[in-house]
Amino acid sequence: RLLPFLAQLGRDHRKYGVSQRHYDSMQDALLTTLRSHLIESWDDRLAAAAHDVMAHTAQLPRDIDDFTGRHTELDELVATMRQADLDGVKVAVLGGPPGVGKTILAVRAAHQLRSCFPDGQLLMSMRTPGGRPRTALDVLGQLLRMAGLDGALPRQLEERAALYRAFMAERSLLLLIDD
């Protein structure tokens, strides 16, 4: 609404008792404000696009607030995985009977390690929602998609595994595999 007003005022500014200097000042202020809003809008769009890309790679479930016990194991796991920055690939395996809290411990550690794996944190379930084991071809496909790879995927297991290795080679990712 200000632009038509300013345009009209520009044509008739003397008729309204507005000096050229004041008109120029109002025009500069309006243009500065418009530029600022356009830049903010553009920055918001860029941030949203970056968030969409990162949403692919930030796949951890929410951390729980009332984590209790296993603090010694948690500290040891986090310290060991932090060495991955210095030594390359690290693998940690948590074992035990169902229901003892392995997944909660792993998720808690993964949240504490997010900064060590800036390219993302992925959670992969090795079972279908129905409880059946997933195929390696399916798992590799989902991992590649979650990591942000678009396009057609190879149909053969060996080719998909090679693509996975190549795609992940230059990335620092935390992969949490849950049975």
Side-chain angles (χ1 to χ4, degrees):
R1 288 187 277 193
L2 287 174
L3 285 177
F5 170 74
L6 194 58
Q8 179 65 36
L9 183 61
R11 287 189 293 272
D12 302 326
H13 68 277
R14 284 198 169 77
K15 182 168 98 174
Y16 294 107
V18 177
S19 71
Q20 185 67 44
R21 189 178 61 122
H22 283 98
Y23 170 76
D24 290 343
S25 175
M26 286 190 308
Q27 185 180 26
D28 288 345
L30 179 61
L31 290 175
T32 300
T33 301
L34 286 174
R35 279 189 203 110
S36 173
H37 286 294
L38 287 173
I39 289 169
E40 285 175 16
S41 174
W42 182 249
D43 287 347
D44 289 345
R45 288 182 182 165
L46 288 176
H51 180 267
D52 288 346
V53 170
M54 288 309 295
H56 284 293
T57 56
Q59 297 288 324
L60 295 176
R62 223 178 116 173
D63 196 8
I64 62 169
D65 294 332
D66 61 347
F67 182 82
T68 57
R70 300 240 176 151
H71 291 285
T72 302
E73 292 90 345
L74 177 64
D75 292 343
E76 184 179 326
L77 178 58
V78 169
T80 299
M81 294 306 292
R82 285 193 193 281
Q83 286 297 314
D85 287 342
L86 305 174
D87 302 336
V89 176
K90 286 285 187 186
V91 176
V93 178
L94 303 178
V100 297
K102 299 178 299 291
T103 300
I104 296 295
L105 175 62
V107 168
R108 181 66 166 220
H111 277 282
Q112 290 185 14
L113 292 162
R114 285 178 71 136
S115 64
C116 296
F117 299 93
D119 294 326
Q121 309 83 37
L122 305 177
L123 172 64
M124 174 54 60
S125 176
M126 297 303 288
R127 298 200 176 272
T128 67
R132 293 191 322 265
R134 297 178 66 194
T135 67
L137 192 68
D138 179 46
V139 169
L140 286 170
Q142 186 173 351
L143 285 171
L144 286 165
R145 294 277 186 238
M146 287 186 335
L149 184 67
D150 292 327
L153 297 176
R155 294 178 186 244
Q156 299 299 317
L157 178 60
E158 296 79 17
E159 293 173 1
R160 197 172 283 188
L163 177 61
Y164 172 81
R165 286 189 301 273
F167 191 72
M168 300 299 185
E170 299 300 318
R171 289 167 176 76
S172 178
L173 286 164
L174 183 142
L175 175 57
L176 176 55
I177 300 174
D178 192 17
D179 66 349

